[in-house]
Amino acid sequence: MEKKQIGFELTIFESINELSQSEQELLQAAEQAQKNAYAPYSNFQVGAAVLLENGEIVIGSNQENASYPSGLCAERVAVFQAGARYPGVAIKILAVTAGSKDHVVNSPAAPCGNCRQSIMEYEQNQKTPIVILLKAEKGPVFKCSSMADILPLAFNSSFLGDS
Ligand code: THU
């Protein structure tokens, strides 16, 4: 028998000012996008902004639906839009911001499991890590070095065989 410990390094910034200029700008783009969230059911508004290798920034926000599972998270709106507009262009950073109309959110909201799975495939295809920046209305900024870090033991197409 063998037991393995799997962990990752999370960098925590007390203030957005500790980040680089481009990281700050990307978080600001996510905050702008958050304003266009369509979240009448949860009142939880999420913004996402991805910085691509070609310098473009593509944004997204959560889009809900009366049939709840039909809605989509901000992260996938942004990343799918990036894939549609700039196919094959690598994603360098994904910034995510979140807030609620009902209460103060003071800890960063991390991508849900479905988003991690979807975005992981982009990371594997591009063969370079996607850095993830997370920020709420208040509190610290979290930085993860890659999607693989927060989705260990991920399922991918290799399990489907013949590729
Ligand atoms: N949501 C996101 O957009 N991203 C996340 O990382 C977590 C959750 C959205 C989905 C739904 O519209 C609302 O937040 C509440 O779950």
Side-chain angles (χ1 to χ4, degrees):
M1 191 190 74
E2 186 191 357
K3 284 193 179 184
K4 250 185 190 167
Q5 197 81 34
I6 302 176
F8 78 100
E9 192 175 79
L10 177 70
T11 311
I12 302 171
F13 299 93
E14 268 182 37
S15 157
I16 190 171
N17 300 325
E18 295 172 61
L19 299 166
S20 71
Q21 188 68 31
S22 66
E23 289 171 331
Q24 290 186 34
E25 281 169 13
L26 200 63
L27 278 167
Q28 282 156 7
E31 271 168 347
Q32 270 306 115
Q34 187 185 319
K35 292 179 184 163
N36 292 332
Y38 175 63
Y41 304 103
S42 70
N43 277 343
F44 192 75
Q45 300 184 298
V46 185
V50 293
L51 174 64
L52 303 179
E53 195 181 43
N54 64 5
E56 294 289 339
I57 290 176
V58 179
I59 56 98
S61 56
N62 54 327
Q63 301 295 316
E64 297 186 348
N65 190 272
S67 171
Y68 293 1
S70 300
L72 200 61
C73 295
E75 293 93 322
R76 273 175 291 164
V77 171
V79 169
F80 289 167
Q81 189 187 179
R85 290 181 62 189
Y86 303 102
V89 179
I91 297 168
K92 287 172 76 172
I93 310 176
L94 164 67
V96 185
T97 64
S100 170
K101 285 191 167 168
D102 299 332
H103 63 277
V104 178
V105 181
N106 46 31
S107 185
C112 77
N114 282 321
C115 285
R116 291 181 203 205
Q117 179 67 32
S118 295
I119 298 167
M120 182 72 176
E121 190 153 324
Y122 288 78
E123 181 170 280
Q124 280 178 342
N125 286 345
Q126 68 184 40
K127 297 186 180 68
T128 54
I130 299 174
V131 171
I132 302 157
L133 292 172
L134 306 170
K135 182 185 176 298
E137 298 158 67
K138 287 194 168 174
V141 176
F142 288 174
K143 182 176 185 176
C144 311
S145 308
S146 73
M147 188 53 78
D149 275 0
I150 60 168
L151 190 64
L153 292 181
F155 182 81
N156 60 49
S157 63
S158 72
F159 293 97
L160 303 175
D162 281 351
S163 56

Short mmCIF file of all heavy atoms in Angstrom, two decimals, residues 31-40 43-47 60-64 74 99 101:
data_model
loop_
_atom_site.label_atom_id
_atom_site.label_comp_id
_atom_site.label_asym_id
_atom_site.label_seq_id
_atom_site.Cartn_x
_atom_site.Cartn_y
_atom_site.Cartn_z
N GLU A 31 -14.55 42.56 -12.62
CA GLU A 31 -15.51 43.31 -11.80
C GLU A 31 -16.51 44.07 -12.67
O GLU A 31 -17.70 44.16 -12.34
CB GLU A 31 -14.77 44.28 -10.87
CG GLU A 31 -14.42 43.62 -9.55
CD GLU A 31 -13.43 44.41 -8.69
OE1 GLU A 31 -12.79 45.36 -9.19
OE2 GLU A 31 -13.30 44.06 -7.52
N GLN A 32 -16.02 44.59 -13.78
CA GLN A 32 -16.92 45.26 -14.74
C GLN A 32 -17.93 44.26 -15.28
O GLN A 32 -19.13 44.54 -15.37
CB GLN A 32 -16.10 45.84 -15.92
CG GLN A 32 -15.61 47.26 -15.73
CD GLN A 32 -16.74 48.24 -15.38
OE1 GLN A 32 -16.74 48.79 -14.28
NE2 GLN A 32 -17.70 48.43 -16.27
N ALA A 33 -17.42 43.10 -15.68
CA ALA A 33 -18.28 42.05 -16.26
C ALA A 33 -19.32 41.59 -15.24
O ALA A 33 -20.46 41.28 -15.60
CB ALA A 33 -17.42 40.87 -16.71
N GLN A 34 -18.91 41.55 -13.99
CA GLN A 34 -19.82 41.10 -12.91
C GLN A 34 -21.10 41.93 -12.88
O GLN A 34 -22.17 41.43 -12.55
CB GLN A 34 -19.05 41.22 -11.59
CG GLN A 34 -19.76 40.64 -10.39
CD GLN A 34 -18.98 40.92 -9.10
OE1 GLN A 34 -17.75 40.83 -9.08
NE2 GLN A 34 -19.68 41.25 -8.05
N LYS A 35 -20.97 43.20 -13.27
CA LYS A 35 -22.15 44.08 -13.25
C LYS A 35 -23.20 43.62 -14.24
O LYS A 35 -24.38 43.97 -14.12
CB LYS A 35 -21.72 45.52 -13.58
CG LYS A 35 -20.86 46.14 -12.49
CD LYS A 35 -20.44 47.55 -12.86
CE LYS A 35 -19.49 48.12 -11.82
NZ LYS A 35 -18.75 49.28 -12.31
N ASN A 36 -22.79 42.86 -15.26
CA ASN A 36 -23.74 42.39 -16.27
C ASN A 36 -24.20 40.95 -16.03
O ASN A 36 -24.76 40.31 -16.92
CB ASN A 36 -23.14 42.50 -17.66
CG ASN A 36 -22.97 43.95 -18.07
OD1 ASN A 36 -23.71 44.82 -17.61
ND2 ASN A 36 -21.99 44.22 -18.91
N ALA A 37 -23.95 40.47 -14.81
CA ALA A 37 -24.45 39.13 -14.49
C ALA A 37 -25.98 39.16 -14.57
O ALA A 37 -26.62 40.17 -14.26
CB ALA A 37 -24.02 38.75 -13.07
N TYR A 38 -26.53 38.04 -15.04
CA TYR A 38 -27.99 37.88 -15.00
C TYR A 38 -28.25 36.82 -13.94
O TYR A 38 -28.14 35.62 -14.19
CB TYR A 38 -28.51 37.45 -16.38
CG TYR A 38 -30.00 37.15 -16.37
CD1 TYR A 38 -30.92 38.15 -16.08
CD2 TYR A 38 -30.47 35.88 -16.66
CE1 TYR A 38 -32.28 37.88 -16.04
CE2 TYR A 38 -31.83 35.59 -16.65
CZ TYR A 38 -32.73 36.60 -16.34
OH TYR A 38 -34.07 36.33 -16.31
N ALA A 39 -28.50 37.29 -12.71
CA ALA A 39 -28.60 36.36 -11.58
C ALA A 39 -29.82 36.68 -10.71
O ALA A 39 -29.69 36.90 -9.51
CB ALA A 39 -27.31 36.41 -10.77
N PRO A 40 -31.02 36.71 -11.35
CA PRO A 40 -32.21 37.08 -10.58
C PRO A 40 -32.63 36.02 -9.56
O PRO A 40 -33.44 36.30 -8.68
CB PRO A 40 -33.29 37.25 -11.66
CG PRO A 40 -32.85 36.34 -12.76
CD PRO A 40 -31.35 36.37 -12.74
N ASN A 43 -29.13 35.95 -6.87
CA ASN A 43 -28.60 37.26 -6.47
C ASN A 43 -27.09 37.23 -6.25
O ASN A 43 -26.53 38.13 -5.63
CB ASN A 43 -29.28 37.81 -5.22
CG ASN A 43 -30.59 38.51 -5.55
OD1 ASN A 43 -30.82 38.86 -6.71
ND2 ASN A 43 -31.42 38.69 -4.55
N PHE A 44 -26.46 36.15 -6.73
CA PHE A 44 -25.00 36.00 -6.59
C PHE A 44 -24.38 36.32 -7.94
O PHE A 44 -24.63 35.61 -8.93
CB PHE A 44 -24.66 34.58 -6.13
CG PHE A 44 -23.25 34.41 -5.70
CD1 PHE A 44 -22.82 34.89 -4.46
CD2 PHE A 44 -22.32 33.77 -6.51
CE1 PHE A 44 -21.50 34.73 -4.05
CE2 PHE A 44 -21.00 33.60 -6.11
CZ PHE A 44 -20.60 34.08 -4.87
N GLN A 45 -23.62 37.38 -7.98
CA GLN A 45 -23.11 37.86 -9.27
C GLN A 45 -21.62 37.57 -9.40
O GLN A 45 -20.83 37.90 -8.52
CB GLN A 45 -23.38 39.35 -9.38
CG GLN A 45 -24.87 39.62 -9.29
CD GLN A 45 -25.20 41.07 -9.48
OE1 GLN A 45 -24.77 41.91 -8.70
NE2 GLN A 45 -25.97 41.36 -10.50
N VAL A 46 -21.29 36.97 -10.52
CA VAL A 46 -19.90 36.57 -10.76
C VAL A 46 -19.43 37.16 -12.08
O VAL A 46 -20.18 37.20 -13.06
CB VAL A 46 -19.78 35.02 -10.80
CG1 VAL A 46 -18.33 34.60 -10.91
CG2 VAL A 46 -20.42 34.39 -9.56
N GLY A 47 -18.20 37.65 -12.08
CA GLY A 47 -17.59 38.16 -13.31
C GLY A 47 -16.31 37.39 -13.58
O GLY A 47 -15.63 36.95 -12.64
N GLY A 60 -16.84 37.40 -19.17
CA GLY A 60 -18.08 36.65 -19.03
C GLY A 60 -18.72 36.96 -17.69
O GLY A 60 -18.06 37.50 -16.79
N SER A 61 -20.00 36.65 -17.58
CA SER A 61 -20.67 36.78 -16.28
C SER A 61 -21.68 35.65 -16.19
O SER A 61 -22.08 35.08 -17.21
CB SER A 61 -21.36 38.15 -16.16
OG SER A 61 -22.26 38.34 -17.22
N ASN A 62 -22.11 35.32 -14.97
CA ASN A 62 -23.06 34.21 -14.85
C ASN A 62 -24.41 34.59 -15.44
O ASN A 62 -24.86 35.73 -15.30
CB ASN A 62 -23.17 33.68 -13.42
CG ASN A 62 -23.51 34.73 -12.39
OD1 ASN A 62 -23.11 35.88 -12.49
ND2 ASN A 62 -24.26 34.35 -11.37
N GLN A 63 -25.01 33.62 -16.12
CA GLN A 63 -26.28 33.82 -16.81
C GLN A 63 -27.23 32.73 -16.35
O GLN A 63 -27.05 31.56 -16.68
CB GLN A 63 -26.07 33.74 -18.33
CG GLN A 63 -25.08 34.77 -18.89
CD GLN A 63 -25.57 36.21 -18.74
OE1 GLN A 63 -26.74 36.49 -19.00
NE2 GLN A 63 -24.69 37.12 -18.32
N GLU A 64 -28.19 33.13 -15.54
CA GLU A 64 -29.10 32.15 -14.94
C GLU A 64 -30.35 31.95 -15.79
O GLU A 64 -30.56 32.65 -16.79
CB GLU A 64 -29.47 32.60 -13.51
CG GLU A 64 -28.23 32.66 -12.62
CD GLU A 64 -28.53 32.96 -11.16
OE1 GLU A 64 -29.67 33.36 -10.84
OE2 GLU A 64 -27.62 32.79 -10.34
N ALA A 74 -19.99 32.23 -14.81
CA ALA A 74 -19.20 33.28 -15.46
C ALA A 74 -17.92 32.73 -16.10
O ALA A 74 -17.56 33.13 -17.22
CB ALA A 74 -18.83 34.33 -14.41
N GLY A 99 -19.82 38.70 -5.94
CA GLY A 99 -20.50 39.48 -4.92
C GLY A 99 -21.96 39.09 -4.87
O GLY A 99 -22.47 38.43 -5.79
N LYS A 101 -26.10 40.36 -3.87
CA LYS A 101 -27.00 41.49 -3.59
C LYS A 101 -27.59 41.36 -2.19
O LYS A 101 -28.22 42.29 -1.69
CB LYS A 101 -28.12 41.54 -4.63
CG LYS A 101 -27.62 42.07 -5.97
CD LYS A 101 -28.76 42.38 -6.91
CE LYS A 101 -28.26 43.19 -8.11
NZ LYS A 101 -29.26 43.28 -9.17
#
